[in-house]
Amino acid sequence: MSTVESPVTIAITRLALGPTAPGASPLLTRIGEVVAQMGPAPWSKRIIADERNLVTLIASPPGGGNRPHWHREFDEWWVVLGGRLQWELTGGVVVNAAKDDIVWVPRGTVHHIRNVGDDLSLRLAVAMPPAWHIYHPCEQCGFADDGPREWCA
Ligand SMILES: [Zn+2]
């Protein structure tokens, strides 16, 4: 399935009609508890998902990283919570980031993210549904794989 031709429409199907007590979803996530629960990297854990947000905690071991890809319909951003990470981007741009840094990448830009440090890296990724990923070789390091070419988070 491809979404190349169609714009993305967000449907907000659940509206609050007034002040509402929170439901069963966790109101507080402690990063340390998630790390202990998930075990050895690599792993990812969805923290928040609604009509507008897909927030995922991602752990990569030294040398680990993502499959380079780009997004049609949203800009993506991350908060680095631990380790040292490098973003290789379309056009020869390289962004190096460490704990407490925020990285923003516009739609259409291939992002190849790698843990370039000696410790576990943690990053909180903020994407927007449906969050189609279009995989593409990294133009900088040439990384490519033969996995699926598209994937919907
Ligand atoms: Zn992405």
Side-chain angles (χ1 to χ4, degrees):
M1 177 180 167
S2 174
T3 57
V4 172
E5 305 82 12
S6 29
V8 173
T9 301
I10 298 173
I12 308 297
T13 57
R14 187 179 60 79
L15 299 177
L17 302 176
T20 305
S25 296
L27 302 178
L28 175 67
T29 299
R30 296 191 189 281
I31 301 295
E33 293 175 2
V34 175
V35 170
Q37 169 197 25
M38 295 301 289
W43 52 260
S44 66
K45 169 82 172 170
R46 179 64 41 77
I47 304 297
I48 297 168
D50 66 17
E51 300 91 338
R52 294 184 171 124
N53 300 283
L54 285 176
V55 181
T56 309
L57 183 64
I58 302 169
S60 299
N66 75 341
R67 297 177 59 206
H69 64 271
W70 58 281
H71 306 285
R72 290 188 183 96
E73 79 278 17
F74 66 94
D75 308 329
E76 186 170 17
W77 56 280
W78 301 260
V79 180
V80 179
L81 300 170
R84 293 195 310 114
L85 288 159
Q86 182 177 79
W87 275 251
E88 289 178 316
L89 304 174
T90 302
V93 176
V94 174
V95 175
N96 289 294
K99 179 175 167 42
D100 298 333
D101 289 340
I102 298 169
V103 177
W104 177 87
V105 169
R107 66 202 73 182
T109 299
V110 175
H111 39 289
H112 185 205
I113 308 168
R114 289 182 296 162
N115 180 348
V116 294
D118 298 325
D119 302 312
L120 176 75
S121 70
L122 284 172
R123 65 189 186 276
L124 195 66
V126 182
M128 291 84 214
W132 280 98
H133 289 55
I134 301 101
Y135 293 96
H136 190 279
C138 178
E139 72 175 29
Q140 296 194 35
C141 72
F143 180 92
D145 62 39
D146 54 4
R149 299 332 300 161
E150 293 196 14
W151 176 74
C152 186

